Amino acid sequence: MTDPLLIRVLNGEIASPPPAWLMRQAGRYLPEYRALRETSKGFVDYCLTPELATEATLQPMRRFADLDAAILFADILLIPFAAGAGVRFVAGEGPVMNPVASIAEIEALTWNAVAESLAPVSETVRRVRAALPADKALIGFAGAPWTVATYMIGGGKDPNRWAARTLAWKDPAAVDLLLTRLVDATVSYLVSQAEAGAQVLQIFDSWAEQLPAPLFDRVVVRPTRAIVDGVRAAGVAAPILGFPRGCGHLADVYARETGVTALALDMSQADAELVRRLPAAMPVQGGFDPALLAAGGAAMADEVSRLLTVADGRPYVFNLGHGVSPDIPIDHVAELLAIVKDR
Ligand code: 1CP
């Protein structure tokens, strides 16, 4: 049997039309998601209940036949939750947790309990894979260590990553220890997702922005390289997508030095000159502005054409440059996917 289109393209095939999926394709813009979410006690419970998480993963697949892949319904903050950081999602405020700032606080977390408490996620992966048609790929994911660390150091959303960036300069040993613990937890988490049936793995580094090059190397590139090496050492061959959002032209360094299979581009990185400098033939993904998806209209088709030009003969996966936001009209999603698949 041939592999799903997304896997073939991440392994180097050029496809027209390209495979398509959308970051945050499950979630609050879907009425069926909001209805299901009301039945759970809280967001973490929802993610760790395989029946609910399986249903949330499959909802966008049922609605949009043009999607080539499902992404596991979970969250990048499940690792700090499982490590006992007190993660909770407060309505209207986002994630909150107990901040860590010292080696003692980092060592006091229950890192050894992470794998067991995230076992329900592997069960979700097994259920989704069993329910998905063979031609649709299943994507597993985790947050990159730096992005997860910014929430842990900030005690939740850390505006401008100020707390995390300050600590990275002030107490490098503490931040490096936190990143090391996160690398180890993330490697086993991703390996168990792959063993349960995830065919692609994406590493979300949503807060890779605002870092000077030496710090970018220390907190983004090296920990990501360690994850890729760890996953490969465990015998997992699945393509790995890296998404270093907001790092501008440092995406080139990231693409060369982390070992990822393919690079997910944000809006400003979806630029012909930047893409030309990437390692030869490395597949690229994404770049479409979620605000244009909110706006809708004829400009969507022009931007899809532009992105195909930017990919310039490389394997390309259609996606957004950041996640779907809750206010996006569902009709615009269907229209956008039809535009992508029409050519
Ligand atoms: O109440 C709710 O329903 C919670 C809303 C929600 C949802 C639907 C959160 C809380 N997380 C998710 C799911 C989620 N998160 C997925 C599921 C699969 C999908 O459809 O794509 C994924 C891949 C994520 C990843 C995630 N979580 C990221 C990385 C991607 C990105 O958007 O940059 C980040 C930064 C988070 C943290 C997070 N989770 C949720 C919130 C409110 C936040 C904070 C975001 C912020 O700090 O602004």
Side-chain angles (χ1 to χ4, degrees), residues 308-324:
L308 293 171
T309 315
V310 164
D312 189 28
R314 286 170 191 269
Y316 177 68
V317 176
F318 182 80
N319 205 324
L320 308 179
H322 199 188
V324 173

Side-chain angles (χ1 to χ4, degrees), residues 15-266:
S16 179
W21 69 280
L22 305 175
M23 288 192 275
R24 300 279 197 119
Q25 64 191 24
R28 282 173 296 177
Y29 76 108
L30 294 175
E32 59 270 34
Y33 169 81
R34 293 195 299 269
L36 191 67
R37 172 82 167 75
E38 276 169 22
T39 68
S40 70
K41 277 186 280 169
F43 181 66
V44 172
D45 274 316
Y46 188 112
C47 291
L48 295 179
T49 306
E51 198 185 344
L52 295 177
T54 300
E55 180 57 23
T57 306
L58 294 172
Q59 282 175 342
M61 304 307 288
R62 293 200 193 100
R63 205 182 254 274
F64 307 113
D66 284 331
L67 289 174
D68 291 285
I71 178 161
L72 166 69
F73 191 86
D75 196 82
I76 64 162
L77 299 176
L78 291 182
I79 286 181
F81 167 81
V87 174
R88 60 242 180 244
F89 287 82
V90 180
E93 219 185 295
V96 179
M97 65 205 76
N98 310 325
V100 291
S102 67
I103 287 179
E105 283 163 351
I106 294 160
E107 291 292 29
L109 292 169
T110 55
W111 297 103
N112 290 334
V114 172
E116 196 183 323
S117 91
L118 296 185
V121 174
S122 300
E123 177 55 21
T124 301
V125 170
R126 273 188 287 276
R127 290 183 188 207
V128 173
R129 191 52 273 172
L132 271 184
D135 64 335
K136 307 287 183 185
L138 174 55
I139 303 165
F141 74 93
W146 171 248
T147 286
V148 175
T150 64
Y151 288 94
M152 296 181 75
I153 295 165
K157 200 177 161 71
D158 178 14
N160 286 316
R161 275 59 61 200
W162 191 254
R165 285 159 56 211
T166 304
L167 193 67
W169 292 118
K170 202 163 99 181
D171 192 349
V175 170
D176 291 349
L177 175 70
L178 179 57
L179 295 172
T180 301
R181 292 286 176 271
L182 287 168
V183 164
D184 293 346
T186 305
V187 167
S188 49
Y189 184 48
L190 289 175
V191 168
S192 30
Q193 291 179 32
E195 286 172 348
Q199 298 148 293
V200 174
L201 301 169
Q202 177 153 322
I203 300 172
F204 285 90
D205 220 339
S206 302
W207 301 121
E209 60 194 31
Q210 295 168 313
L211 297 168
L215 198 54
F216 183 79
D217 177 62
R218 198 180 112 211
V219 302
V220 171
V221 172
R222 286 165 192 252
T224 303
R225 168 97 239 172
I227 290 175
V228 174
D229 288 348
V231 166
R232 296 293 180 236
V236 171
I240 299 177
L241 269 156
F243 179 45
R245 193 180 73 86
C247 73
H249 71 93
L250 291 175
D252 179 29
V253 176
Y254 180 97
R256 284 175 199 285
E257 296 183 9
T258 57
V260 296
T261 315
L263 185 72
L265 306 166
D266 67 21

